[in-house]
Amino acid sequence: MSSTGSAIKAMKPATLTHENAIEITGMNKWFGSFHVLRDIDLTVKRGERVVICGPSGSGKSTLIRCINRLEEHQKGSIIVDGTELTADVKKIDEIRRDVGMVFQHFNLFPHLTILENLTLAPIWVKKMPKKDAEEIAMHYLTRVKIPEQANKFPGQLSGGQQQRVAIARSLCMSPKIMLFDEPTSALDPEMVKEVLDTMVTLAHEGMTMICVTHEMGFARQVASRVIFMDQGQIVEVNTPDEFFKNPQHDRTKLFLSQILH
Amino acid sequence: MTDAISPSGAFVRSTVIGEQRPPHRVSGPVLWIRENLFSSLLNSVLTLVFVASVLWVLPGLIRFMFITPVWVAESSKDCSADLLKHPVGACWGFVNAHLGYLFYGQYPAVERWRVDIFYALEALGLIWILAPKAPFKPAGLVFFFLIFPIAGFILLSGMTSIGLATVQTHYWGGFLVTIVISTVGIVASLPIGVLLALGRRSKMPISRLVCVIMIEFVRGVPLITVLFMANVMFPLFVPEGWRPDSLLRVLVGVGFFSAAYMAEAVRGGLQAIPRGQYEAAQALGLGYWQMMIKIILPQALKIVIPNIVNNFIGLFKDTTLVAIVGIFDFLRTIQASLSDPNWRSAEMPLAAYLFAAFIYFIFCYGMARYSLSMERRLQTGNRH
């Protein structure tokens, strides 16, 4: 790896061209006849950090998976940075290039080394020269504090390390928006903090983020807004301070009393 | 200071327990034999039965094959116990005398160097792509999948413009035909099988339907039927002069037949890949083919290496069925040699078929061993 960092300097800062990063209006989704998402209206502004919480089965994961079309919505519209999600595969790919996603179970590619995991999409999707892709990969691996693991395989890393690799893998595509789907739920308790720290740093740098998480400390620290979902609907939206201090809806109160012992 | 439990039951460790060696156990060959061969009554009985049967069969077989055989012979007379007045083993002289026929069929003797070059090219290609440490792997792949087939075809069937006399395929025979059919079958079945498997799992109904019909139809009929269709039925529907070469028809039949089985093996691997792998690839913006080629297939194929190699081995042995439609494969040339009037004798088939078994075994066992070593080499941890 050259130390000039030319590839990093050449990276275009990923900025959203529209004031509204994500605009969801009247969105509905069904799994078969089961109505998972009901009349979702949600606008996320550029640079906003939104935390979504709610009981399991409330549709929060499905909601963020609709944003990069891992799930297809059947009614309403989703506009990501000015581009509406339709069946148009080209537009879907375009949006996926700009929207990074971190999964509960990391979903690293087990047959590739850490470095290959990070460089794969830049090389094949962005057609970046291998050398530049590796330089950028090492840059992000250093940022998530595990550059020394570059040549190992995912199976040789701890859960927390794997999740940090997954975050770095997304960042290598210089996404404009990051989606986190319960990124700490599958981790051992001792490893939660290292992943949250990485996410906090990202938030402080102004990344537009939507996080499905039950880490209320994280929500307090970085969220611009907290969204509470139940039975496929958005039940309450508020600033973290108000949300935790002064929940309005009965369902929110019950939920908070259950998780904040 | 020592660790002590206070009267209240609280405990704080102040010493570190160092790493210790495990306690010694009795070891040695006697223990190994007792633990592995005579650990229970059933195990002891099995051991004794096995040893007894080996002692019963092996000495005779070794004597027959290696101690008393006739290595060089002019005709069956040289192998006859009655004429030699002493017991004789395998008549390897028979195999020796027919070696040319067994490996080249009726390929004209003066042109057999072309077959030798073909064998050499194939061996080179196989070593190039299969040896883990061979250099220039991409070039090796181009060589084996592109240059070798074309060069091999020109070499074997001839090209008058460059001075290679045409040799029609009905002169090909013996091991040459076995190798040609199994190589074409193996090389064609993997890509076609992968495409069929992907098609079967595709969301597009038409391509799914076509693949399902193709796979289920082929799996529903015996290979012999496919061969008959290719060689007997097909020409009836096609005008004279449009009929492709009989060996070519068989090659196409065998290719599709093994592809259908390959498709099912690959599909098993595809099903074992967690959905998260697809989603991660999609979320990164990879297209369908990028996702399949870079993420899904390498993992899926790795899982089903044993099944794939099992199919290859099956295919290699199934090539013997082409004899039914009049193509002289290795086994058929052995049978044909046995009807040579100079070599008629009751014991001759024993040596001949032992030799056939030996050749088939070397190749099949070789494939099995290679697949095992490849599985071990690709073991990078399967955690997702």
Side-chain angles (χ1 to χ4, degrees), chain B residues 3 5 100 113 135 214 278 312:
Chain B
D3 298 321
I5 299 176
W113 58 270
M214 160 82 202
Y278 292 87
F312 286 168

Side-chain angles (χ1 to χ4, degrees), chain B residues 1-20:
Chain B
M1 200 179 132
T2 53
D3 298 321
I5 299 176
S6 78
S8 68
F11 169 82
V12 178
R13 179 172 298 286
S14 61
T15 56
V16 176
I17 301 173
E19 204 172 313
Q20 290 164 0

Side-chain angles (χ1 to χ4, degrees), chain B residues 365-382:
Chain B
Y365 186 66
M367 286 190 255
R369 292 307 302 181
Y370 181 77
S371 97
L372 280 179
S373 78
M374 187 153 71
E375 277 170 58
R376 237 174 282 128
R377 191 150 40 83
L378 293 177
Q379 208 55 255
T380 56
N382 277 320

